[in-house]
Amino acid sequence: MPTTAPHRMAPARRRRGPGWVSQQHGAWAMLVVPVLVGALLAGPTWRHALLLVCWLVGFLAYNAAGLWLKASRRPRYLPPVRAYGVATTVLGLALVASAPSLLWWAPVFAVLLAVSLVCSARRADRSWLNDGVTVVAAMLMTTVAAGLGSPGPLPGAGDPRTWAATGLLAAYFLGTVPYVKSLIRDRGDRTVLAVSLGYHGALVAGALGAVVVAAPDVAGAVVCAVVALGLLLRAALVPRRRPWPSATAIGLGEIVATVVVTAATLVVV
């Protein structure tokens, strides 16, 4: 009689090590929007596409390096650091070759990167300091993108419209730090909620003040005030929902808010 062939188990699929895919899903909008706005202000070119790719790959390298430092430099965390680091270097050299004046920004971003990596090494990557530093670095990309290809030191830094766009985006994204903390990591913490409400209340007050003094451009100030008021209502009402909103719902809400703020920024500036 024929014998039954022994059952062979399929080889187990090897799991990809840590650091290859960022778990900071909310960071992508914060990375893309400033470059997009800066490019639209300056007039998009192929250099902006290269800048965006280099910036995103650089973020993956930064994320992998932060995890490696947080894990006390364990070897299993090192492969993505090497891979993304090499890719960022190659892309960065190509970018600098096409726009050498970008090197003027290198010291600024080097300081911000150093502060953030120290936070990761101390396992304080979720601290207020690190969140603030990463937001500032991302928002400066608005100015970098707007001045891409321009000669002189810190290209783009001399344009008031660019700084206005940078400031508006920074005001929004800095506010997402306490807002998201009040929903996820520190939900139920009254102090964090108070910080979120206080910050967004200050945005409304500033926008209303701009309506009073911005005689040449009242319409732009009104747009800012309406958006700021909407963000304040969101910060006040969403954390009070029961049951708590899911991560998916929070993420979708952030997408909508980011689109609104981006559109308002382009209209105002």
Side-chain angles (χ1 to χ4, degrees), residues 11-97:
R13 182 175 297 177
R14 181 179 296 180
R15 290 185 60 188
R16 177 169 289 183
W20 289 102
V21 180
S22 172
Q23 299 303 310
Q24 301 180 43
H25 305 298
W28 295 106
M30 189 176 73
L31 295 168
V32 173
V33 166
V35 177
L36 175 63
V37 170
L40 291 175
L41 290 177
T45 68
W46 63 269
R47 288 190 182 93
H48 290 104
L50 180 58
L51 174 67
L52 181 59
V53 172
C54 182
W55 178 238
L56 295 179
V57 175
F59 168 72
L60 292 173
Y62 154 79
N63 178 74
L67 290 176
W68 176 60
L69 291 171
K70 186 178 178 181
S72 302
R73 290 172 286 188
R74 294 176 188 169
R76 65 188 294 259
Y77 286 81
L78 195 54
V81 179
R82 287 195 298 254
Y84 289 135
V86 170
T88 302
T89 301
V90 172
L91 291 168
L93 289 174
L95 183 61
V96 169

Side-chain angles (χ1 to χ4, degrees), residues 29-253:
M30 189 176 73
L31 295 168
V32 173
V33 166
V35 177
L36 175 63
V37 170
L40 291 175
L41 290 177
T45 68
W46 63 269
R47 288 190 182 93
H48 290 104
L50 180 58
L51 174 67
L52 181 59
V53 172
C54 182
W55 178 238
L56 295 179
V57 175
F59 168 72
L60 292 173
Y62 154 79
N63 178 74
L67 290 176
W68 176 60
L69 291 171
K70 186 178 178 181
S72 302
R73 290 172 286 188
R74 294 176 188 169
R76 65 188 294 259
Y77 286 81
L78 195 54
V81 179
R82 287 195 298 254
Y84 289 135
V86 170
T88 302
T89 301
V90 172
L91 291 168
L93 289 174
L95 183 61
V96 169
S98 69
S101 59
L102 279 176
L103 288 174
W104 286 99
W105 285 105
V108 177
F109 282 89
V111 171
L112 296 172
L113 177 62
V115 172
S116 184
L117 291 180
V118 168
C119 288
S120 294
R122 295 181 176 179
R123 299 188 177 183
D125 52 307
R126 299 292 185 179
S127 65
W128 292 85
L129 172 62
N130 191 52
D131 289 344
V133 166
T134 53
V135 170
V136 170
M139 296 308 105
L140 281 177
M141 289 300 293
T142 310
T143 306
V144 173
L148 187 61
S150 302
L154 298 180
D159 186 357
R161 288 180 67 233
T162 299
W163 283 114
T166 301
L168 290 173
L169 293 177
Y172 164 64
F173 280 106
L174 285 171
T176 64
V177 174
Y179 170 67
V180 173
K181 285 183 183 294
S182 72
L183 294 176
I184 300 178
R185 194 172 185 84
D186 296 306
R187 67 181 186 180
D189 189 318
R190 294 184 178 180
T191 301
V192 174
L193 179 59
V195 170
S196 178
L197 293 175
Y199 179 87
H200 287 91
L203 289 186
V204 173
L208 291 176
V211 172
V212 175
V213 301
D217 188 20
V218 175
V222 170
V223 169
C224 291
V226 170
V227 173
L229 181 59
L231 294 176
L232 174 60
L233 292 174
R234 180 189 69 156
L237 298 178
V238 176
R240 299 180 186 278
R241 283 194 56 193
R242 296 297 182 275
W244 287 97
S246 65
T248 300
I250 295 171
L252 291 174

